[in-house]
Amino acid sequence: MSEQSATLGREDVAHVASLARLALTDEELDRFTVQLARVIDHARDVAALDVAEVEPTSHPVPMRNVLRPDVVGECLGRHEVLAAAPECEDGRFKVPRVIGEAP
Amino acid sequence: MSGPSTGWEIVVGLEVHCELQTKTKLFCACPNAFGDEPNTNVCPVCLGLPGSLPVLNEQAVELAMRIGAALHCEVRSSSFHRKNYFYPDMPKDYQISQYDQPINVGGYLELPDGSRVGIVRAHIEEDTGKTSHRGESGRIHSADYALVDYNRSGVPLVEIVTEPDIRSAAQARAFVAELRGVLVAAEASDARMEEGSLRIDANVSVRAEGTEQLGTRCEIKNLNSLRSLGLAIEHEAARQVAVIDAGGRVVQETRHWDEQGGRTVPLRSKEEAFDYRYFPEPDLVPLDPDADWKARAAAGVGMLPAERRARLAALVGSPTSQQTDQLQAAVDQGLDDLVVAAVEAGAPAGLALVRAVNELAVDLVAARALDPGSFAALLQLEESGALSPTQAKTVLATLRDAGGGDPGAIARSKGFEALAEATLEGVVRDVVDAHPDEWARYLAGDDKLAGFFTGQVMKATSGKANGKAVAGALRRLRG
Amino acid sequence: MSAREIARAVRAGERSARGVVEESLAAIAERDGEVHAFLLVTGDEARSAADAIDAAVADGRDPGPLAGVPVALKDNLCTKGIPTTCASRILEGWRPPYDATVVTRLRRAGAVVVGKTNLDEFAMGSSTENSCAGPTRHPADPSRVPGGSSGGSAAAVAAGFVPLALGSDTGGSVRQPAALCGTVGVKPTYGAVSRYGLVAFASSLDQIGPLAASVEDAALLLEVIAGHDPLDSTSIAQAAPEVTASLDVGVAGLRVGVCDELVEGTAPDVVARVQQAADALVDAGAHVTRVSVPEMRYGLSAYYLIAPAEASSNLARYDGVRYGLRVPASDVAAMNVATRTAGFGPEVKRRIMLGTYALSAGYYDAYYAKAQRVRTLLIEAFSRAYEQVDVLLGATAPTTAFPIGERVDDPMAMYMSDVCTIPSNLAGHPAISVPFGTGDDGLPVGVQVLAPALEEARMFQAAAAIERAAPAPGSGTK
Ligand SMILES: [Mg+2]
Ligand SMILES: [Zn+2]
């Protein structure tokens, strides 16, 4: 693991894969660790910048108060909605059992 | 089981999710409606279909600002973040919510007993869809599969977060009851717990009385009635005290109120740690309401329950503790406007309050529609002694059912002629003569017998006599 | 035939839209087996749309400014009832119940959609090799990539299948394949074109843009798709810029800055073409100077923090619950994992994990938040440059089209393909790639014109002048 980055290791990749609901084989884990570490290493120039005084940009063209009147519009037909569903029952989307409740 | 043993203090903070009563959802034009066929009020946006984008509902912002104004918050510029986590009822697998820049911060709510509960924030966010667990028991852990309906997905919510200022289950209930009144007054939400338009999470901890430091808290999720709220807090506090008494430590966790078992139970926690990876929602721009809009929103808040109680209290003068309860009941039941109008039409305030809360409350819809002038006229007849309380109640029931009318005419049609003073004197004398032993004891100072004689007079007059007039006649006979 | 000429002829009744569309479909049928620009050809829909245009012309109704013009759509643009896959297994079989705003506008303008083009999965890539349906090949050299991620759209135009196509540009995905294929490619100002119905990759960077055989056709297409859309909160509340009017204005007096950072590090034959384009602008009356925007050097790093971060969130919804692929499992979380693991290709997984990392607790401030601040620095640096010059000039891509397979196993090398295009996305500024001769290998070179936000007219002014001066195809650099 000579190429392994100090900033991003195998456990980090395993952790983010689980957060992102992806499963990786051991071989993938090794490969992705090397590849992602290279990108993160490249990003060190940005991580090292002192930009605390600089405002972040999330929208290149500043805008505010983009609003919509509270007027009812058209919905999709239910057949259209459920046509895309991998599985449905009683007009609802069917999924395997849910373990744990929403946070 | 009630609260924790003496020597312990309960500390509670609440998170209240309240659905706003807009016509449409927060980010799309689908109807914000309860109880429709599943997956009929949905579109690409609230289904989170690829390529769809949110556009903020102006009225939801206005209602959120009303709530802020009603809770004495500072209404500020705000922005939206994404809260990322996977759950099947959340179509984008992130929730759009306000995070570090909420629209309302730093207010309070004053409860009827005069205590104040601080408000940390009241922010805008979107609701999720609804998951129904299916299988043998219908319970989550043993379900075979689940069904998801997205009609509720994207319904606008305001999440109100209190300071940990609440010190008892009763105070928590009082807070929620008062908050409901505020939300309804602001016309921001119908605040119906049974329909899920008001949902409560309680953060509960305990600490030794007299200490300052907060104990480790547990969050009890989704309490859906005032009763559950109170019971869950009491049981959770008692559980925590028991843990500490046994030499253990309270573990910070999320728990669920088990209504049947009468206890809180830990939710099965996922192995993955919660890491919501908040970041600014790039599909929305900042919200920066100007002073005019804020003022318009604040002006849209109707009279708050506290103002309504104060208004009644001022009419009554200095209310007794019983009257304090009555005027709160009048406000809670929405009868205070009637009482005020009746008093303005000449009714005695105390009597109007009593009759409203005790007699009219049996049919609130009819009571709220009652003509205040008729109500006032009836109360004047009762006050003057022209009608006995019993007669007055009977006439009032007729007035309430008819929405109003002439109470004098109704009384006459029922044969409720007030007895002339001379006639009454005669009846009293007859009763005294018929009960010489009792009369002797009364003369000897046994005042309790006044009630006996009054009862006999009422019987003899079929309830037409006025109690006060009977008492006066008795006093005069005694000399 | 140019889009302009087709529309004129169809509107005048000189040609039938049906005839034009049949020619386009025939060209696709003949050569797309080799190029593989299209994931789906919608022949039946195209024929009936063309017939409707012809009927409108016959009835004397206005068939729109793009009457009868065949267009190809990158397959990350939603088309009602027509499969939209983003070249991903995870969206296999999905038919959107709605049209993207740009698609609605195209149809209203009389354009005829002939199909959906190949792309890197979810627009993540620079070569169109990351497609679940296999790569698109460069029309001039099938052993090479067409660039990406809008490689299918660029190849479709370059191969002459269609005069117009739409792509999306998050870090150069319209301009870079345009440069590699020898077509014009435009990235409009962020917010100029509605993103409604564009399957999101990185929301704060994504813009839909035209690909065309000429600057004029690109301008025509931009005028049709741009302009305010109430369905996109980030859509600028302005009408579409009138760019066609600026094509013949010329560049006399225009201040052009050849940008050091857009030349350094690019191949010598590409540098030579940029210099030649600058000289041509001088000849046309422009003032050309050299300028530097040093903050551009942080662009690649900032981009590969921001874009994956937003992507990790945007792609969370592909969970097997509501549409697309589902791989069954015993509980819903396991089903999510199985579906996403089977449905996404390696590049998408890399970026999702990278973005999840950049946003996760403990790293947000060091990475995502910092990268957003770097955008501010970059915008300020651009502003300083635009005090001295009206537009910037540079290369679009560091090299000409590279061989298929060359960079697939080295993500960092692949990411470098976008080094010249990324700054405009981070700043939200418009930029255009114009073909300008070929490199030493005989493959096309694109030069890039950058302009400040909402200054598309100025950008097209310079682009048209460059196009007029471009060497004939096949002429060398020396
Ligand atoms: Mg919340
Ligand atoms: Zn909707």
mmCIF file of all heavy atoms in Angstrom, chain B residues 91-104:
data_model
loop_
_atom_site.group_PDB
_atom_site.id
_atom_site.type_symbol
_atom_site.label_atom_id
_atom_site.label_comp_id
_atom_site.label_asym_id
_atom_site.label_seq_id
_atom_site.Cartn_x
_atom_site.Cartn_y
_atom_site.Cartn_z
ATOM 1 N N PRO B 91 -38.524 10.463 -1.107
ATOM 2 C CA PRO B 91 -38.301 10.120 -2.515
ATOM 3 C C PRO B 91 -36.938 10.532 -3.071
ATOM 4 O O PRO B 91 -36.463 9.917 -4.010
ATOM 5 C CB PRO B 91 -39.425 10.846 -3.252
ATOM 6 C CG PRO B 91 -40.135 11.671 -2.265
ATOM 7 C CD PRO B 91 -39.703 11.299 -0.893
ATOM 8 N N LYS B 92 -36.333 11.555 -2.548
ATOM 9 C CA LYS B 92 -35.025 11.942 -3.074
ATOM 10 C C LYS B 92 -33.894 11.343 -2.234
ATOM 11 O O LYS B 92 -32.735 11.500 -2.544
ATOM 12 C CB LYS B 92 -34.894 13.479 -3.083
ATOM 13 C CG LYS B 92 -36.013 14.183 -3.860
ATOM 14 C CD LYS B 92 -35.840 15.696 -3.902
ATOM 15 C CE LYS B 92 -35.993 16.375 -2.554
ATOM 16 N NZ LYS B 92 -37.331 16.288 -1.948
ATOM 17 N N ASP B 93 -34.256 10.696 -1.156
ATOM 18 C CA ASP B 93 -33.295 10.208 -0.159
ATOM 19 C C ASP B 93 -32.482 11.351 0.436
ATOM 20 O O ASP B 93 -31.361 11.170 0.909
ATOM 21 C CB ASP B 93 -32.423 9.076 -0.708
ATOM 22 C CG ASP B 93 -33.245 7.788 -0.857
ATOM 23 O OD1 ASP B 93 -33.733 7.286 0.163
ATOM 24 O OD2 ASP B 93 -33.439 7.322 -1.993
ATOM 25 N N TYR B 94 -33.045 12.540 0.364
ATOM 26 C CA TYR B 94 -32.603 13.642 1.211
ATOM 27 C C TYR B 94 -33.821 14.504 1.477
ATOM 28 O O TYR B 94 -34.773 14.497 0.694
ATOM 29 C CB TYR B 94 -31.465 14.474 0.593
ATOM 30 C CG TYR B 94 -31.741 15.109 -0.752
ATOM 31 C CD1 TYR B 94 -32.472 16.290 -0.876
ATOM 32 C CD2 TYR B 94 -31.251 14.530 -1.919
ATOM 33 C CE1 TYR B 94 -32.717 16.869 -2.107
ATOM 34 C CE2 TYR B 94 -31.490 15.106 -3.164
ATOM 35 C CZ TYR B 94 -32.221 16.276 -3.250
ATOM 36 O OH TYR B 94 -32.466 16.839 -4.473
ATOM 37 N N GLN B 95 -33.786 15.172 2.623
ATOM 38 C CA GLN B 95 -34.889 16.064 2.974
ATOM 39 C C GLN B 95 -34.399 17.498 2.802
ATOM 40 O O GLN B 95 -33.297 17.825 3.240
ATOM 41 C CB GLN B 95 -35.294 15.834 4.433
ATOM 42 C CG GLN B 95 -36.453 16.722 4.877
ATOM 43 C CD GLN B 95 -36.646 16.726 6.397
ATOM 44 O OE1 GLN B 95 -35.688 16.576 7.150
ATOM 45 N NE2 GLN B 95 -37.879 16.892 6.844
ATOM 46 N N ILE B 96 -35.207 18.318 2.177
ATOM 47 C CA ILE B 96 -34.859 19.740 2.092
ATOM 48 C C ILE B 96 -35.368 20.401 3.361
ATOM 49 O O ILE B 96 -36.553 20.336 3.685
ATOM 50 C CB ILE B 96 -35.464 20.402 0.844
ATOM 51 C CG1 ILE B 96 -35.032 19.668 -0.425
ATOM 52 C CG2 ILE B 96 -35.040 21.871 0.787
ATOM 53 C CD1 ILE B 96 -35.629 20.228 -1.719
ATOM 54 N N SER B 97 -34.436 21.001 4.095
ATOM 55 C CA SER B 97 -34.758 21.549 5.407
ATOM 56 C C SER B 97 -33.883 22.770 5.643
ATOM 57 O O SER B 97 -32.909 22.987 4.931
ATOM 58 C CB SER B 97 -34.464 20.477 6.467
ATOM 59 O OG SER B 97 -34.728 20.969 7.755
ATOM 60 N N GLN B 98 -34.248 23.560 6.638
ATOM 61 C CA GLN B 98 -33.386 24.687 6.984
ATOM 62 C C GLN B 98 -32.461 24.240 8.096
ATOM 63 O O GLN B 98 -32.882 23.583 9.042
ATOM 64 C CB GLN B 98 -34.227 25.892 7.398
ATOM 65 C CG GLN B 98 -35.083 26.380 6.240
ATOM 66 C CD GLN B 98 -35.705 27.732 6.495
ATOM 67 O OE1 GLN B 98 -36.287 27.962 7.549
ATOM 68 N NE2 GLN B 98 -35.582 28.629 5.533
ATOM 69 N N TYR B 99 -31.204 24.591 7.971
ATOM 70 C CA TYR B 99 -30.201 24.031 8.881
ATOM 71 C C TYR B 99 -29.547 25.161 9.675
ATOM 72 O O TYR B 99 -30.067 25.547 10.722
ATOM 73 C CB TYR B 99 -29.209 23.236 8.042
ATOM 74 C CG TYR B 99 -28.061 22.603 8.769
ATOM 75 C CD1 TYR B 99 -28.270 21.749 9.838
ATOM 76 C CD2 TYR B 99 -26.752 22.835 8.353
ATOM 77 C CE1 TYR B 99 -27.196 21.149 10.480
ATOM 78 C CE2 TYR B 99 -25.677 22.234 8.985
ATOM 79 C CZ TYR B 99 -25.911 21.406 10.054
ATOM 80 O OH TYR B 99 -24.855 20.814 10.685
ATOM 81 N N ASP B 100 -28.486 25.750 9.158
ATOM 82 C CA ASP B 100 -27.801 26.758 9.974
ATOM 83 C C ASP B 100 -28.382 28.166 9.827
ATOM 84 O O ASP B 100 -27.991 29.063 10.553
ATOM 85 C CB ASP B 100 -26.292 26.750 9.719
ATOM 86 C CG ASP B 100 -25.944 26.999 8.258
ATOM 87 O OD1 ASP B 100 -26.875 27.165 7.445
ATOM 88 O OD2 ASP B 100 -24.746 27.029 7.932
ATOM 89 N N GLN B 101 -29.324 28.336 8.895
ATOM 90 C CA GLN B 101 -29.968 29.649 8.761
ATOM 91 C C GLN B 101 -31.481 29.489 8.720
ATOM 92 O O GLN B 101 -32.093 29.647 7.672
ATOM 93 C CB GLN B 101 -29.477 30.357 7.487
ATOM 94 C CG GLN B 101 -27.999 30.682 7.539
ATOM 95 C CD GLN B 101 -27.514 31.340 6.261
ATOM 96 O OE1 GLN B 101 -28.030 31.094 5.179
ATOM 97 N NE2 GLN B 101 -26.514 32.187 6.391
ATOM 98 N N PRO B 102 -32.091 29.175 9.879
ATOM 99 C CA PRO B 102 -33.547 28.995 9.895
ATOM 100 C C PRO B 102 -34.272 30.339 9.807
ATOM 101 O O PRO B 102 -33.688 31.373 10.142
ATOM 102 C CB PRO B 102 -33.798 28.337 11.254
ATOM 103 C CG PRO B 102 -32.665 28.774 12.110
ATOM 104 C CD PRO B 102 -31.478 28.972 11.204
ATOM 105 N N ILE B 103 -35.514 30.290 9.376
ATOM 106 C CA ILE B 103 -36.257 31.546 9.185
ATOM 107 C C ILE B 103 -36.634 32.208 10.515
ATOM 108 O O ILE B 103 -36.641 33.430 10.612
ATOM 109 C CB ILE B 103 -37.503 31.300 8.289
ATOM 110 C CG1 ILE B 103 -38.193 32.624 7.958
ATOM 111 C CG2 ILE B 103 -38.496 30.317 8.921
ATOM 112 C CD1 ILE B 103 -39.149 32.549 6.799
ATOM 113 N N ASN B 104 -36.924 31.408 11.559
ATOM 114 C CA ASN B 104 -37.316 31.978 12.860
ATOM 115 C C ASN B 104 -36.361 31.506 13.951
ATOM 116 O O ASN B 104 -36.129 30.315 14.079
ATOM 117 C CB ASN B 104 -38.713 31.495 13.263
ATOM 118 C CG ASN B 104 -39.778 31.870 12.250
ATOM 119 O OD1 ASN B 104 -39.935 33.037 11.915
ATOM 120 N ND2 ASN B 104 -40.504 30.878 11.747
#
